[in-house]
Amino acid sequence: MTLAHVTTPLLGLVGATVIGRLGDAALLGAMALGAVIFDAIFWSFGSLRMATAGLTAQAVGARDNAEVDRTLARALAAACLVGLVMVLAQVPLASAAFRLSGASPEVIAGLSTYFHIRIFAAPFTLANYSILGSVLGRGRTDLGLLIQVAINLVNIALTLLLVLGADMSVAGAGLATLIAEAAGTGFGLLVLARLGSHPFRVPLAAVRDPLALARMLSVNADVMIRTLLLVASIVIFSVLGARSGDVTLAANAVLWNLFLVGGFFLDGFATAAETLCGQAVGARDEARFRRAVALSLAWCLAFGGAISGVFLIGGDHFIDTVTTNSEVREMARQFLVPAALAPLIAALPFAFDGIYIGATWTRAMRNLMLAATLAYGAVLLAGQGAGWGNGGLWFAFLGLLGARGLGQALAYPGLVRRTFAGSRPLVAAGGGADLRLGGHDA
């Protein structure tokens, strides 16, 4: 899953580099804002992937194969409905996003072109979240890797072809993403069919089961609120950077891609935690759950530190590779250190996110995110009042990451006690390996 997640920031890096090589800071800023806006729109419903993975993993742990397909069918139905609403509401969505951005007219011109092409990918993008969540919840991370790599390689190839070969600029980048997401949905459904999964054969009555729907909607709502708060924090970061000028916006975009490389790398451990912790909860096996938690935290923190070290050493070269604009390069170097430290600070909340989602402790995750966001807002207000500038933005963002991880660590012991109080494993200890491979055997 680390390999799968790394392909996503590489896609963003290729897009930023291709546009950045054109030497126009406004176009690079348009790509950066476009990425943030679609992160805000799509990842507001990223709960479809995370909740589907957690619920599927628990069904696999409980050896309820029928519920695996029912969970996927409900997720796909929600994805199609929400995606179509997004397409139909694209004009007011774009208007609100552009007003909030506060970007220059030159940036808005490129952003508008990109937005009104990529928005048509909404139903496919959300369906891909659901498909990936189902695959990962089964423990088939190999297939998760295959699906992610296929989508992103198609996207990268088309971006290079349409932007550089066909000289379509930001329109080519948007069209490349649309085609890649649509192809990914078709490919993902074929992969599920090979696993023996047939979500479209699930009876409508089972999809609409009140108790199952209530649980799915509750988990999705909690994760959605958490994600909205996180995305809103990122959007505020980008908007405040944009209002400092095109150069600052472009420099933060370069550094943000640096953070994403580290962040999506760490997200592989979070995804593994979703699967392993979810299956352990479904099997009512506390010892197995605690072992998965310990491994997730240890590896995530170790790799977070290693990634930050690499970024501190090689950050200058990274900046020069992404952009040829001298002003953007100089500005990015001023804030390289906080951007490079972000993966280390993010390691703890990334690992705990996977643990909490797998255990479906989504209400606690939501509440802790709300508390961290309030602290983030307070630091931003203080920084704006004191004239901290772009450095204050990065300081507040690192504080947000740190507050999330600390809060999750403090809440963890009580949540474990309540989850496993009086429970006994559904299988003997020796069955753990079979459950961990649930997707293969189920």
Side-chain angles (χ1 to χ4, degrees), residues 105-123:
E106 292 79 11
V107 170
I108 293 296
L111 176 59
S112 179
T113 300
Y114 181 80
F115 182 94
H116 288 293
I117 294 174
R118 187 174 171 184
I119 190 64
F120 284 93

Side-chain angles (χ1 to χ4, degrees), residues 61-73:
R63 299 191 181 278
D64 188 349
N65 295 333
E67 183 59 22
V68 171
D69 266 8
R70 290 193 291 264
T71 297
L72 175 58

Side-chain angles (χ1 to χ4, degrees), residues 140-389:
R140 292 303 304 264
T141 52
D142 55 338
L143 296 178
L145 169 63
L146 179 63
I147 293 171
Q148 288 286 88
V149 169
I151 293 173
N152 291 327
L153 284 181
V154 170
N155 203 338
I156 288 171
L158 288 175
T159 297
L160 293 171
L161 176 65
L162 297 177
V163 175
L164 297 182
D167 196 25
M168 292 179 65
S169 189
V170 291
L175 183 59
T177 301
L178 167 58
I179 296 172
E181 293 287 0
T185 299
F187 180 62
L189 291 173
L190 287 175
V191 168
L192 288 170
R194 294 284 294 176
L195 287 176
S197 184
H198 301 287
F200 299 113
R201 297 181 186 175
V202 174
L204 183 60
V207 175
R208 297 169 57 185
D209 177 77
L211 291 178
L213 271 179
R215 186 188 184 204
M216 185 194 80
L217 292 175
S218 175
V219 172
N220 271 275
D222 289 335
V223 177
M224 182 183 294
I225 293 170
R226 167 263 186 191
T227 305
L228 282 171
L229 290 169
L230 180 58
V231 170
S233 300
I234 295 170
V235 169
I236 291 170
F237 178 94
S238 298
V239 167
L240 292 177
R243 292 180 177 176
S244 298
D246 290 353
V247 172
T248 300
L249 172 62
N252 282 346
V254 172
L255 295 175
W256 190 253
N257 276 288
L258 186 70
F259 169 67
L260 286 180
V261 171
F264 279 96
F265 192 90
L266 294 175
D267 207 27
F269 294 103
T271 304
E274 289 175 23
T275 301
L276 298 179
C277 292
Q279 291 185 7
V281 168
R284 314 303 301 158
D285 191 337
E286 182 178 357
R288 180 177 159 199
F289 178 83
R290 288 185 178 275
R291 182 169 183 271
V293 169
L295 289 171
S296 299
L297 290 172
W299 281 101
C300 216
L301 287 168
F303 271 83
I307 293 166
S308 287
V310 170
F311 288 172
L312 286 170
I313 295 171
D316 284 342
H317 180 69
F318 176 89
I319 292 168
D320 290 343
T321 300
V322 172
T323 180
T324 58
N325 187 294
S326 59
E327 290 181 287
V328 174
R329 285 177 171 179
E330 182 180 353
M331 178 67 72
R333 282 190 173 88
Q334 293 180 29
F335 303 102
L336 174 60
V337 172
L341 291 176
L344 174 60
I345 299 173
L348 195 61
F350 267 66
F352 270 123
D353 275 353
I355 294 162
Y356 275 52
I357 290 167
T360 58
W361 297 336
T362 52
R363 181 173 298 179
M365 184 173 68
R366 176 201 66 193
N367 294 340
L368 291 167
M369 183 67 213
L370 177 59
T373 303
L374 292 174
Y376 172 70
V379 175
L380 280 178
L381 287 175
Q384 293 293 303
W388 293 350

